Amino acid sequence: MNDIERLDWGKAPDGLLPAIVQDADTLRVLMLGYMNAEALAATRASGRVTFYSRGRQRLWTKGETSGHVLDLVSIDADCDRDTLLVLARPHGPTCHLGRASCFPDAPADFLAELDALVARRERERPEASYTTRLFEDGLRRIAQKVGEEGVETALAGVAQDDTALLGEAADLVFHLTVLLRARGLSLEDVRTVLRARHRA
């Protein structure tokens, strides 16, 4: 955890550092809370994001009454070591108003949301889901669908309008996401390869 051991607690007179929480999968900003050294230690020890409540004057684990906890993924400090960035996986809405984020228009990575949804479909296999049917049809059928969508995307690229091309491209990305998940991979794994190539 970057610079976590060298945080500048003295910059805030009350010993509280702002902690920005982001969804680890979609990168959407979920909320802002405050941590003191004890809250940070509790977060790291429990794996559940814990703040210091200024109103209650005590430690407060997000979701302790609602059940909508935040599972810790990582914590990073900014360059001045006086602000924390917390990556977490939410269980249910983060906002007390029942929204995913306390910032209703916070941008998110929709492809990461899609990837997470496909992963849930693979685990839970809800009935009447097209994605469930694809997983149950098996790897060969999923790969065949990717091939079909790839050909249709290429044909749309040379013979159809932009709307058709975008529709086919969306179908291709969706089926590719399912294929990757069927092989135990994700779109994030593809991003990792692209990042490595970009640096090369």
Side-chain angles (χ1 to χ4, degrees):
M1 292 187 179
N2 240 357
D3 285 333
I4 292 300
E5 312 305 335
R6 301 185 299 115
L7 291 170
D8 194 347
W9 297 104
K11 277 195 178 175
D14 50 9
L16 297 177
L17 299 184
I20 302 160
V21 182
Q22 275 187 294
D23 186 310
D25 296 316
T26 69
L27 301 183
R28 173 183 280 131
V29 174
L30 299 177
M31 65 174 291
L32 171 67
Y34 292 87
M35 288 186 180
N36 59 11
E38 190 181 0
L40 177 60
T43 297
R44 295 173 73 181
S46 68
R48 292 275 166 88
V49 180
T50 300
F51 303 101
Y52 183 82
S53 170
R54 295 171 297 169
R56 302 172 200 164
Q57 296 288 296
R58 67 171 179 85
L59 293 187
W60 163 65
T61 299
K62 177 72 177 113
E64 64 186 24
T65 55
S66 68
H68 300 154
V69 297
L70 296 168
D71 285 340
L72 177 67
V73 173
S74 67
I75 304 178
D76 197 5
D78 75 337
C79 56
D80 293 322
R81 303 188 325 275
D82 62 0
T83 302
L84 299 169
L85 178 63
V86 179
L87 291 184
R89 289 199 170 90
H91 292 265
T94 299
C95 179
H96 73 283
L97 298 177
R99 300 185 303 222
S101 168
C102 294
F103 303 92
D105 297 322
D109 180 344
F110 179 74
L111 288 181
E113 288 185 15
L114 174 65
D115 205 18
L117 174 63
V118 169
R120 282 197 305 276
R121 291 286 190 268
E122 183 192 27
R123 286 193 310 271
E124 298 167 4
R125 304 292 174 101
E127 292 182 19
S129 162
Y130 174 68
T131 311
T132 295
R133 193 162 76 247
L134 282 172
F135 282 122
E136 291 178 349
D137 285 346
L139 186 63
R140 287 180 181 274
R141 176 60 182 147
I142 299 168
Q144 180 184 3
K145 285 296 295 181
V146 171
E148 291 170 5
E149 299 299 346
V151 169
E152 289 173 9
T153 301
L155 290 174
V158 296
Q160 294 180 292
D161 62 15
D162 290 351
T163 300
L165 174 57
L166 289 172
E168 296 299 346
D171 289 344
L172 176 59
V173 170
F174 169 75
H175 287 90
L176 179 59
T177 303
V178 175
L179 177 62
L180 288 166
R181 187 61 58 180
R183 288 284 305 268
L185 301 168
S186 69
L187 288 177
E188 183 56 37
D189 295 318
V190 176
R191 280 195 184 93
T192 299
V193 173
L194 289 171
R195 284 189 199 104
R197 288 179 180 177
H198 179 68
R199 293 190 202 103

